[in-house]
Amino acid sequence: MKKLLLACLILIPTLGQAQGSDDDSTPEEPLRFIDRLYTGGDLSLNFGTYSFVYLAPMLGYNLFSDDLSVGVGGRYMYARDGIYDLNYHMYGGSAFARYLIGDFVILHAEYERLNVEFYSVLRGELTRDWIDVPLVGGGYRQNFGRGSYMQFLILYDLNNDYRSPYTTAFDIPITFRGGFVFKITDRY
């Protein structure tokens, strides 16, 4: 009985090694620049008496891990009010940083530079101007594949400029966004 117990004590630890070990494999090569990139964006469409198109593509880069990233994006918005026969175009770009807390919570900061069209009381006509829109907020992301997720953000416009496209009828400078994000490669 003692010989059987001794044999088990010697053989059981070696069974795990006989099945193979990850330590014997070659070291994984470091991530390339393209492996840290992701893309995606937001899209909103509405057609009817009041038509609205919002396109916001983005390109991001994971800095040290998937938790901290920075990126750039474009913005285009078109709105048409069929009742008052008004057309409105806005375009520009943005730079952002985001931090992921756990698997689902996003902290987000963004700076947008937008060319907007607005009614100038002094000129008595529609005019265009560049405005700065710093946005901060957070949101939720839901993973649905390897490196892919959909996101929902609530962002606050720190400037609260009357020309901002994010000021609501109640003068609350909050915007809601939803979109999709995809890794460029499947390595990470």
Side-chain angles (χ1 to χ4, degrees):
M1 180 72 173
K2 288 183 182 179
K3 288 182 183 181
L4 181 61
L5 183 61
L6 182 62
C8 288
L9 289 175
I10 292 172
L11 291 176
I12 289 176
T14 61
L15 288 176
Q17 293 177 353
Q19 293 176 359
S21 170
D22 290 340
D23 297 338
D24 297 334
S25 64
T26 59
E28 190 174 317
E29 66 181 71
L31 291 176
R32 302 168 298 171
F33 177 80
I34 196 167
D35 296 329
R36 295 181 179 271
L37 290 176
Y38 60 89
T39 188
D42 306 329
L43 170 67
S44 180
L45 300 170
N46 182 52
F47 298 104
T49 304
Y50 181 78
S51 297
F52 181 80
V53 176
Y54 178 77
L55 301 170
M58 71 166 176
L59 180 65
Y61 180 78
N62 291 317
L63 292 173
F64 309 110
S65 67
D66 284 345
D67 296 341
L68 180 63
S69 67
V70 295
V72 295
R75 298 282 178 272
Y76 175 74
M77 182 177 13
Y78 168 76
R80 183 183 71 75
D81 186 331
I83 295 174
Y84 296 104
D85 196 28
L86 295 174
N87 291 308
Y88 173 85
H89 296 272
M90 177 210 68
Y91 52 87
S94 70
F96 66 86
R98 59 175 52 169
Y99 184 74
L100 180 63
I101 299 173
D103 291 331
F104 305 108
V105 178
I106 302 169
L107 295 180
H108 185 94
E110 186 167 354
Y111 172 80
E112 291 184 341
R113 179 87 170 144
L114 302 175
N115 187 286
V116 298
E117 190 173 35
F118 64 98
Y119 184 79
S120 171
V121 177
L122 294 175
R123 295 182 184 167
E125 63 185 9
L126 286 175
T127 186
R128 292 190 103 26
D129 198 5
W130 286 95
I131 64 169
D132 300 314
V133 185
L135 299 162
V136 295
Y140 173 81
R141 84 179 208 177
Q142 177 63 51
N143 299 323
F144 62 85
R146 186 173 165 94
S148 301
Y149 58 90
M150 67 180 147
Q151 66 182 11
F152 302 98
L153 299 172
I154 300 173
L155 301 174
Y156 183 81
D157 179 352
L158 295 173
N159 276 355
N160 196 13
D161 188 324
Y162 72 95
R163 300 170 296 173
S164 171
Y166 306 124
T167 301
T168 65
F170 303 108
D171 202 28
I172 301 170
I174 291 179
T175 185
F176 299 91
R177 290 189 187 163
F180 294 93
V181 175
F182 307 95
K183 293 284 284 187
I184 301 280
T185 68
D186 62 354
R187 283 193 61 220
Y188 53 105

